[in-house]
């Protein structure tokens, strides 16, 4: 999980690329804990550690860039403190080492190995990024969501609904209660969308690169964009399995997530969804649709990647997938998908998949 980013932990095989800590690595974490305790702050509480984190970051941010010291030692010490707070709420999880990234990093792994949290990476990204800084409120939301996620990972049913760690939104941030439904008979632009679905695309269109996590994408979307992608998958799956597949779009204006469904053909609807997203005020957006899988369980999204074939998913009855494109305003985004078995009722199959990157959609 990266900064409450659900897709990192929700992808299948989270334990892949993780290994148990060596004795020397475990001792290193103990040294970091000792360094943290030496600060004199009550670092075993969210309030205490959050106060230390906010003060340290504020002092660093106020310093002229050329005079700043390397924040890595402080980030690492606080990272282990954050992880220990998460473990207090999910005691069955354990510290491991993630070894498949650009740099090895301590991580927390759920008991069944299906979900991972990367507190060191998350604190560093928050510290160095421009996402609102680090404070007690952020830390409280992070620790609560991460602990809940790890604790529930082993017992969660095979469904997307709440397998994900939700980004902690403000009390005012809510999903629009009055979902808008567009009934349009007009034809979309003949050139349609570069993100148009193609259920029968030729295998040559498939990207060879396979992405397991958003962190492997050429441009890593924000945690909020990753969270919106999972919320869109949730929405798309819920409707597809009850009322049948329908194209849709979500637009987040920073306070409210507006939702619109389109009662037209998929190609027309996707162009209309792009226009709706572009015409409104938003900081990020998602566009989604459902499409049938081929006999091997694969779906190609031309130019953007593919849902790989999976014998286990096919055996479980997967015959369709909801595909979602999400991006922050003016930034490259990601394509995610989730297989499901159509029927009455339908069934979610497997876990969300990272298909690949996509151009900005807003």
């Amino acid at each position: 999980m990266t900064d409450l980013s659900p897709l990192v932990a929700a992808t299948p095989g989270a334990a892949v690329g993780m290994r148990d800590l060596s004795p020397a690595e475990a001792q290193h974490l103990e040294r970091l804990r000792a360094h943290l305790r030496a600060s004199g702050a009550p670092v075993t509480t969210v309030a205490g550690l959050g106060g230390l984190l906010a003060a340290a970051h504020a002092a660093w941010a106020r310093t002229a860039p050329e005079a700043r010291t390397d924040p890595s030692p402080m980030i690492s010490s606080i990272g282990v403190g954050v992880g220990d707070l998460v473990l207090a709420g999910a005691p069955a999880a354990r510290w491991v080492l993630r070894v498949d990234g650009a740099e090895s990093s301590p991580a927390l792994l759920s008991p069944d190995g299906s979900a991972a949290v990367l507190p060191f990476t998350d604190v560093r990204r928050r510290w160095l990024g421009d996402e609102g800084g680090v404070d007690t409120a952020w830390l409280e939301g992070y620790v609560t969501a991460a602990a809940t996620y790890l604790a529930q990972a082993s017992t969660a049913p095979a469904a997307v609904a709440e397998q994900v760690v939700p980004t902690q939104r403000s009390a005012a941030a809510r999903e629009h209660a009055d979902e808008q439904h567009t009934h349009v008979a007009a034809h979309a632009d003949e050139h349609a969308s570069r993100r148009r679905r193609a259920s029968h695309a030729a295998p040559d269109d498939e990207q060879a690169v396979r992405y397991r996590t958003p962190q492997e994408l050429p441009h890593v979307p924000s945690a909020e964009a990753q969270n919106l992608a999972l919320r869109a998958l949730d929405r798309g799956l819920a409707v597809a399995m009850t009322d049948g597949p329908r194209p849709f779009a979500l637009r987040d204006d920073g306070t409210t997530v507006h939702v619109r469904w389109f009662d037209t053909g998929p190609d027309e609807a996707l162009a209309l969804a792009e226009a709706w997203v572009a015409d409104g005020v938003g900081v990020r957006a998602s566009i989604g649709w459902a499409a049938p899988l081929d006999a091997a369980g694969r779906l190609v999204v031309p130019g953007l990647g593919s849902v790989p074939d999976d014998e286990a998913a096919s055996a479980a009855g997967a015959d369709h997938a909801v595909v979602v494109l999400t991006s922050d305003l003016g930034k490259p985004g990601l394509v995610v998908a989730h297989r499901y078995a159509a029927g009455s009722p339908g069934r979610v199959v497997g876990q969300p998949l990272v298909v690949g990157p996509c151009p900005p959609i807003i």
Side-chain angles (χ1 to χ4, degrees):
M1 182 180 99
T2 296
D3 201 12
L4 298 187
S5 111
L7 296 181
V8 175
T11 47
V16 175
M18 305 281 185
R19 65 164 173 78
D20 288 333
L21 295 175
S22 69
E25 290 159 351
Q27 290 172 7
H28 177 60
L29 292 190
E30 285 299 328
R31 287 193 294 271
L32 291 175
R33 291 185 181 100
H35 178 72
L36 196 60
R37 290 192 298 269
S39 68
V43 294
T44 58
T45 68
V46 169
L49 184 60
L52 175 65
L53 177 58
H57 181 266
W60 179 84
R62 286 194 303 266
T63 304
E66 63 275 11
R68 289 174 180 169
T69 59
D70 181 6
S72 295
M74 176 61 75
I75 290 173
S76 295
S77 296
I78 291 176
V80 75
V82 171
D84 286 345
L85 288 174
V86 172
L87 276 182
R94 70 185 191 279
W95 281 105
V96 295
L97 191 72
R98 184 193 183 205
V99 294
D100 66 345
E103 296 182 2
S104 298
S105 175
L108 298 174
L109 192 65
S110 65
D112 66 347
S114 69
V117 174
L118 305 175
F120 281 61
T121 303
D122 294 340
V123 172
R124 173 173 291 277
R125 174 169 295 170
R126 192 77 183 189
W127 184 291
L128 300 177
D130 57 358
E131 301 173 358
V134 285
D135 54 24
T136 301
W138 172 79
L139 181 60
E140 181 178 12
Y142 182 93
V143 169
T144 299
T148 300
Y149 182 55
L150 289 173
Q152 291 179 346
S154 298
T155 58
V160 71
E162 285 302 329
Q163 289 175 325
V164 305
V165 180
T167 298
Q168 297 298 305
R169 303 173 63 84
S170 68
R174 59 193 182 282
E175 193 160 296
H176 199 285
D178 300 320
E179 295 183 5
Q180 303 177 43
H181 300 261
T182 302
H183 304 267
V184 183
H187 293 288
D189 187 308
E190 193 166 322
H191 297 96
S193 160
R194 64 180 173 272
R195 294 172 285 278
R196 176 181 308 211
R197 74 166 189 174
S199 304
H200 306 292
D204 290 343
D205 286 334
E206 181 181 359
Q207 289 184 354
V209 179
R210 294 289 186 221
Y211 301 95
R212 295 189 307 106
T213 74
Q215 277 57 44
E216 296 173 354
L217 296 171
H219 177 89
V220 180
S222 69
E224 290 78 9
Q226 295 179 41
N227 183 63
L228 186 66
L230 267 292
R231 292 177 67 177
L233 273 183
D234 185 10
R235 281 290 186 144
L237 284 166
V239 171
M241 293 186 298
T242 55
D243 302 328
R246 298 174 63 194
F248 60 95
L250 278 67
R251 187 177 63 226
D252 183 355
D253 63 14
T255 300
T256 301
V257 176
H258 305 268
V259 184
R260 177 165 287 192
W261 300 90
F262 299 90
D263 294 329
T264 66
D267 288 339
E268 293 172 321
L270 292 178
L272 292 168
E274 288 184 334
W276 177 75
V277 164
D279 288 344
V281 176
V283 294
R284 62 192 59 89
S286 292
I287 293 174
W289 69 95
L293 305 175
D294 65 17
R298 189 183 64 149
L299 169 71
V300 176
V301 186
L304 299 178
S306 68
V307 177
D309 57 348
D310 187 318
E311 293 182 0
S314 297
D319 51 14
H320 286 73
V322 171
V323 180
V324 169
L325 285 68
T326 302
S327 77
D328 290 300
L329 179 64
K331 296 181 179 180
L334 77 164
V335 186
V336 295
H338 203 136
R339 298 185 185 91
Y340 70 96
S344 184
R347 292 180 294 104
V348 175
V349 178
Q351 301 281 348
L353 303 171
V354 178
V355 178
C358 70
I361 67 169
I362 185 173

